[in-house]
Amino acid sequence: MAELSGGSVSLDVETIYLGGKEHIVRTGSGSVSVIVYGDPDKPALVTYPDLALNHVSCFQGLFFCPEAATLLLHNFCIYHISPPGHELGAAAICADDPVPSLSDLADQILEVLNYFRLGAVMCMGVMAGAYILTLFAMKFRERVLGLILVSPLCKAPSWTEWLCNKVMSNLLYYYGMCSLLKDCLLYRYFSKEVRGSAEIPESDIVQACSKLLDERQSTNVLRFLHAINSRSDITDGLRELKCRTLIFVGDDSPFHSEALHMASNLDRRYSALVEVQACGSVVTEEQPYAMLVPMEYFLLGYGIHKPNHHFSGSPRSPLCPTCIPPELLSPESMGLNLKPIKTRISSQR
């Protein structure tokens, strides 16, 4: 089925993924895959993954948690956007096609929202995906209700990251998705504890991610990596964001300091930071349970809650739509089990 949407032709191709339906939307920056789960009459939650990941390898751990399914799938229709050529079964993108910048990919999200006739949406992004969604919120403030960001990027690449990305680019160009490249990507995603060592085998989640990486088209990953390595610093625009923002970051993430930098530059009336100990960058996969209670309080500010949920324990004040009271983000009031997750909660004062 072809439909004219916002001046561009959109092709709707239906594919079922564990109850979701895939739409291939043709935009001004190329085609993009969107997997839709749930009732389209519900509020929209848009997700965007990191480099070489898609909705399966980046968000499945979170959405397969029964508590997360109760909270998110009960209240939202989920729109999983994949970076160009990162969807399941993607073919290699033509080498002659221009490489979209991260700014272009942020503009592409607007075309996706218009295609599905969505208004303001909730957004959840991981690393590069968090950068793209944050940039989208800066450009189109009226289209974003709130941001849930996991190990977000907001600065231009440091010399260390730039060099690492160049090494990965060369590996992709000459060797494709080789074992050394996968090691670099797994270091980007996960903590040392789950990556394993000579004495300790890697965890099931790392093994599963490694297998999924084999399915990626190396040329498509290389294109996205080029865009990531050419990104600009968006720090100056952070204080202008008025949507509520919840940031998660693992303290073993290579981007831990960047997430803290971002949190410190957001308007403190509208933002909160959750640091997850003994965790890497992709908290959604490595320690998804650490996200549940903070997200529940965050979403309460929008009147969104678990069905038939009754609070217990210490008294808690209701959240206002514009901020999370600091006392609600303390481990004691949230009832977090500090072992073995050891989640550290920081609120911006």
Side-chain angles (χ1 to χ4, degrees), residues 185-321:
L185 289 170
L186 294 174
Y187 170 80
R188 177 185 177 95
Y189 304 150
F190 300 114
S191 67
K192 182 178 180 181
E193 284 79 2
V194 297
R195 293 200 312 273
S197 63
E199 298 79 20
I200 304 173
E202 61 187 13
S203 69
D204 291 344
I205 190 172
V206 172
Q207 291 179 24
C209 183
S210 181
K211 290 179 181 178
L212 289 169
L213 288 174
D214 287 331
E215 301 176 6
R216 299 282 77 75
Q217 292 282 351
S218 57
T219 54
N220 299 351
V221 176
L222 179 59
R223 290 164 61 90
F224 193 28
L225 181 57
H226 282 164
I228 292 170
N229 217 26
S230 302
R231 69 182 187 270
S232 58
D233 191 322
I234 58 173
T235 301
D236 289 345
L238 293 177
R239 287 199 179 275
E240 302 304 317
L241 280 178
K242 299 305 179 185
C243 64
R244 299 171 72 230
T245 304
L246 178 60
I247 296 177
F248 294 92
V249 64
D251 65 0
D252 199 24
S253 167
F255 304 104
H256 178 264
S257 62
E258 187 152 348
L260 267 58
H261 168 81
M262 182 174 187
S264 68
N265 281 276
L266 287 167
D267 190 321
R268 297 178 182 181
R269 296 172 295 172
Y270 306 116
S271 62
L273 170 69
V274 179
E275 297 178 77
V276 184
Q277 296 185 4
C279 186
S281 299
V282 188
V283 184
T284 49
E285 291 293 315
E286 188 170 344
Q287 292 199 28
Y289 283 97
M291 300 178 63
L292 297 177
V293 174
M295 282 198 306
E296 186 172 354
Y297 279 102
F298 179 75
L299 294 174
L300 269 175
Y302 300 90
I304 295 171
H305 54 82
K306 291 182 182 178
N308 302 321
H309 182 85
H310 299 283
F311 294 118
S312 60
S314 58
R316 299 178 175 96
S317 302
L319 296 183
C320 70

